[in-house]
Amino acid sequence: MTEKLHEFVETLKSANPEWVGDVKDALGEVTVTVPREHIFAACEFLRDSLGFDMLADLCGGDRGPEEDPRFEVNYHLFSTTHHRRLRLKVLLSEDDPKVESVTPLWKTADWHERETYDLVGVVFENHPDLRRILLPSDFDGHALRKDYPLRGYEPYSMN
Amino acid sequence: MGLENKIFESLPDVLTVKLDAVVNWARKSSLWPATFGLACCAIEMMNTVSARNDLSRFGAETFRASPRQADVMIVSGRVSRKMAPVLRRIYDQMPEPKWVISMGACATSGGVFDNYAIVQGVDKVVPVDIYVPGCPPRPEMLVHAITMLQDKIMKESVKDRTDTIEAESRGSIVPGTLPVTEGTALEAETEVEVAQKNISRPYTIPSRHERRRSF
């Protein structure tokens, strides 16, 4: 079921072996862990050479303050020609949660990256307009981090 | 023995009554709510004005899309921190006299949403006249709230309603929801001082009408 996807991953690996880190095949989905300095180049190659022309979703995750690397950014790519989905994953440490923006490749990444920045606190470099999108602009902290208190910090906390 | 007897002798068709009673009667018989549905309570609010619970029996069925034509704001649903300044602005845009009904547990107290995103009670943003409990309240309860509000209106005086900066609006600012002001804490100033300075409401953009008035 995922042979075709593994072919894509092999093509990706042959283009530049450094792009592909860990490859995971679970539940009919293939996840490729990409080192963060290569994510833009890998995305560009997948888009231009392998037909993954659509960024279906981009989301961030917090594995918890005790984990290292703590943050992850997931890129859900979709190919309208091959009708296949591929997930790229970038792992980021807590001290330096920065990753290159893919907005130049897919316009839709603009708001997705803003949301990820807003809620998880991942900074996307070279993003055209990286500011909060869901929370109020004067919000303190990033609400979906595991160590964020439910009622928020002052002065948001009413209690 | 008073004036009304003299008038009655000369003008038997004239009925005298207190001005407050007439004005309040007119106000309560034609409440125009502003359309402000925020969550599932809004479904019940829509049901209140539809055929089964026909709110027009009590003269309050004319929902207005513009706050400038409304005098009751039914806050139906949870108010997020980001929505709070918008809600306050809509309230400020409503002309006096105006009343607020807080509909449902979320608008009244935050309900089950005791978190960073939801204002824990809309009375922190606007002054509330009637609280309606329930999750969501049935349409009958909203009808009851409207009739309670009408009773309340009948007890008011015309003098109570002036088109000035409301005193209560000073103390009802939600921290963190406002556009940044000069950096000075508003709470430190008394409302009198604020009124003396004649500054406009810092958390709303003054409308064209308000700018022209330039009090």
Side-chain angles (χ1 to χ4, degrees):
Chain A
M1 193 167 146
T2 55
E3 296 82 14
K4 183 76 176 166
L5 277 169
H6 283 292
E7 280 175 33
F8 289 136
V9 175
E10 288 306 314
T11 319
L12 191 65
K13 200 181 262 181
S14 59
N16 188 343
E18 285 184 10
W19 288 349
V20 180
D22 186 30
V23 180
K24 201 176 271 182
D25 187 346
L27 305 169
E29 299 170 2
V30 174
T31 306
V32 182
T33 307
V34 182
R36 79 166 171 185
E37 57 269 24
H38 298 304
I39 184 66
F40 188 86
C43 282
E44 194 170 28
F45 182 79
L46 282 165
R47 185 191 71 163
D48 296 339
S49 305
L50 296 181
F52 284 92
D53 47 359
M54 178 176 164
L55 180 70
D57 192 15
L58 189 159
C59 54
D62 181 8
R63 302 164 152 203
E66 69 280 357
E67 295 284 333
D68 191 47
R70 179 174 170 181
F71 300 113
E72 59 185 48
V73 182
N74 295 305
Y75 301 77
H76 298 96
L77 307 185
F78 180 68
S79 169
T80 52
T81 48
H82 304 295
H83 209 72
R84 288 287 194 283
R85 291 178 190 276
L86 182 67
R87 183 185 298 115
L88 304 183
K89 188 187 286 273
V90 175
L91 298 173
L92 301 167
S93 70
E94 186 175 358
D95 307 324
D96 189 25
K98 288 181 183 154
V99 68
E100 174 98 33
S101 169
V102 293
T103 308
L105 301 176
W106 296 283
K107 282 278 180 232
T108 185
D110 186 344
W111 282 16
H112 283 131
E113 285 176 349
R114 278 177 65 187
E115 184 187 356
T116 308
Y117 161 73
D118 192 3
L119 297 174
V120 187
V122 175
V123 175
F124 291 89
E125 285 168 328
N126 301 328
H127 188 280
D129 183 26
L130 192 66
R131 58 193 163 90
R132 292 187 182 276
I133 186 169
L134 293 175
L135 297 168
S137 53
D138 57 345
F139 197 82
D140 189 19
H142 302 283
L144 285 193
R145 287 194 174 184
K146 296 286 186 202
D147 52 358
Y148 188 84
L150 178 63
R151 290 173 176 168
Y153 299 118
E154 296 288 344
Y156 279 86
S157 168
M158 294 297 212
N159 303 294
Chain B
M1 67 181 279
L3 184 62
E4 68 269 21
N5 291 348
K6 292 252 189 291
I7 291 173
F8 186 72
E9 286 164 14
S10 54
L11 294 165
D13 296 338
V14 172
L15 180 70
T16 59
V17 70
K18 277 170 72 183
L19 181 64
D20 277 348
V22 179
V23 172
N24 288 338
W25 170 79
R27 283 175 176 174
K28 79 148 194 178
S29 308
S30 169
L31 289 171
W32 287 20
T35 311
F36 204 68
L38 288 170
C40 32
C41 281
I43 305 294
E44 301 296 308
M45 183 175 72
M46 292 173 224
N47 203 354
T48 310
V49 289
S50 62
R52 183 181 280 264
N53 296 288
D54 192 10
L55 192 58
S56 61
R57 294 176 293 161
F58 306 97
E61 83 285 5
T62 317
F63 274 76
R64 285 285 135 176
S66 166
R68 306 220 182 263
Q69 300 168 350
D71 44 18
V72 184
M73 182 183 208
I74 302 174
V75 184
S76 53
R78 63 196 88 93
V79 184
S80 68
R81 296 241 190 266
K82 207 167 181 180
M83 185 53 110
V86 181
L87 185 140
R88 178 69 212 195
R89 184 173 176 183
I90 289 174
Y91 177 80
D92 285 338
Q93 284 173 339
M94 286 164 59
E96 289 279 4
K98 55 188 169 186
W99 299 274
V100 177
I101 293 176
S102 168
M103 183 183 179
C106 299
T108 305
S109 69
V112 296
F113 302 100
D114 186 7
N115 60 29
Y116 61 89
I118 302 296
V119 175
Q120 300 297 305
V122 74
D123 50 6
K124 293 187 166 66
V125 188
V126 292
V128 176
D129 292 282
I130 308 282
Y131 297 91
V132 190
C135 185
R138 287 185 59 84
E140 292 93 317
M141 296 174 73
L142 187 58
V143 171
H144 186 208
I146 295 273
T147 51
M148 278 173 75
L149 181 62
Q150 289 174 339
D151 291 345
K152 186 175 179 178
I153 291 168
M154 282 308 283
K155 292 173 191 159
E156 282 183 0
S157 169
V158 190
K159 291 179 287 186
D160 295 345
R161 295 282 170 178
T162 52
D163 197 10
T164 54
I165 302 175
E166 310 82 291
E168 70 266 23
S169 72
R170 288 294 129 203
S172 61
I173 299 163
V174 182
T177 57
L178 315 172
V180 179
T181 52
E182 305 77 59
T184 53
L186 268 173
E187 300 85 58
E189 301 174 317
T190 64
E191 55 197 58
V192 180
E193 285 168 345
V194 172
Q196 281 170 349
K197 280 186 180 172
N198 282 342
I199 58 167
S200 183
R201 303 174 185 101
Y203 39 84
T204 56
I205 301 161
S207 65
R208 206 141 41 93
H209 164 68
E210 283 169 323
R211 275 200 297 269
R212 204 181 311 128
R213 197 167 57 192
S214 68
F215 42 86

